[in-house]
Amino acid sequence: MTSVVRIFDTPDELFDAAAALFVRTARGAVDAAGSFAVALAGGSTPMRLYARLAAPDGPAAGAPWARTHFFWGDERHVPPDHPESNYGMAFEAMLRHLPVASPQVHRIKGELPDADAAAADYEQELRRCFTLASGRWPRLDLVLLGLGADGHTASLFPGTPALDEHARLAVATTVPNVGAARITLTAPVLNGAARVVFLVEGTGKADAVAAVLQGPQEPDRWPAQLIQPKDGELVWLLDAAAAGKLSHPML
Ligand code: 6PG
């Protein structure tokens, strides 16, 4: 694994760099293998990246969208038109503006009554898309991740059983203390990616960034520490505020 931390003065510079990296990764994957498989992040942070990628005269003009397949790192257990839906956020911010056909969009079916069934359905979709034999893992070209102030990423929350899942590709879980049901890719799937990019901005994440990157290894407390692509690149894109508690040797 190679890893890099890039710190930007402003969020705008962060998301500009993220857009350029997204497009570079897409073009590289299509040149190498004829397709690009990306798992999108949820939450609010990536919205500004998705808006840049959707801009008609923006950095992704001419990106290989017809060769791109969209997955998600996690989803809330809600219908796709629900305001909390990660798919819904990405659709509104980006997908509806892109020349992308529905077979290229592999959303997690948060509308299924049972979150476990939604996770199992998503696992089968991944196995179908990557023609995976039993015991094999998908290799996503790019995984986008956010970071919660509690150190979670995707829906891998501190102290939850999902952190210890090493057989399933996707599982149902719940948000601690809240109880909201989620579906998440498991750490082995995220770590099977060719490139994993964390997008983190704002002072609210500074403590978690410092703990994850420079604190003791405690992945049960700081689940983002689980993300160590075994044969890939780990990239942290931070604004100065989110990097504000890192010690200087990292800068
Ligand atoms: C989600 C994401 C989650 C998110 C972090 C940060 O479904 O919400 O998968 O892991 O990336 O909670 O969220 P913000 O970007 O909103 O701060």
Side-chain angles (χ1 to χ4, degrees):
M1 179 190 86
T2 60
S3 67
V4 61
V5 176
R6 295 182 63 195
I7 299 167
F8 301 89
D9 289 337
T10 67
D12 270 344
E13 290 172 356
L14 188 167
F15 293 113
D16 287 344
L21 182 57
F22 184 106
V23 175
R24 189 161 67 247
T25 307
R27 290 196 170 124
V30 169
D31 289 349
S35 65
F36 170 53
V38 54
L40 299 178
S44 58
T45 301
M47 292 172 74
R48 284 160 286 179
L49 166 60
Y50 301 160
R52 278 166 171 77
L53 294 175
D57 55 355
W65 296 123
R67 302 287 192 145
T68 299
H69 285 264
F70 296 92
F71 300 85
W72 274 259
D74 72 327
E75 186 56 279
R76 289 79 180 281
H77 188 214
V78 296
D81 59 354
H82 189 282
E84 285 292 304
S85 168
N86 286 337
Y87 161 81
M89 180 274 280
F91 179 79
E92 286 302 319
M94 175 172 64
L95 294 176
R96 69 190 186 98
H97 303 289
L98 297 181
V100 168
S102 55
Q104 296 172 251
V105 179
H106 312 276
R107 65 179 185 84
I108 301 169
K109 294 177 181 168
E111 70 273 22
L112 293 179
D114 175 24
D116 288 311
D121 174 81
Y122 196 48
E123 175 150 348
Q124 289 314 308
E125 177 70 355
L126 286 164
R127 292 196 175 283
R128 183 186 67 79
C129 292
F130 287 89
T131 56
L132 291 180
S134 172
R136 307 293 293 172
W137 303 93
R139 184 158 173 81
L140 289 155
D141 296 301
L142 177 63
V143 169
L144 300 177
L145 291 173
L147 180 71
D150 63 354
H152 82 263
T153 192
S155 284
L156 299 172
F157 290 96
T160 59
L163 304 186
D164 300 317
E165 178 58 53
H166 297 289
R168 300 275 308 279
L169 304 186
V171 294
T173 186
T174 54
V175 182
N177 307 318
V178 173
R182 300 276 190 100
I183 299 96
T184 187
L185 291 182
T186 55
V189 173
L190 302 174
N191 285 330
R195 174 170 284 157
V196 179
V197 179
F198 278 92
L199 302 170
V200 192
E201 62 102 8
T203 52
K205 307 291 178 71
D207 287 328
V209 166
V212 169
L213 290 179
Q214 295 184 331
Q217 281 302 303
E218 295 177 271
D220 196 63
R221 169 65 189 84
W222 302 103
Q225 291 182 332
L226 290 171
I227 309 309
Q228 304 286 336
K230 59 182 185 304
D231 179 22
E233 182 187 40
L234 177 61
V235 181
W236 285 80
L237 302 182
L238 308 171
D239 73 340
K245 298 211 174 157
L246 290 176
S247 64
H248 292 294
M250 172 72 75
L251 296 180

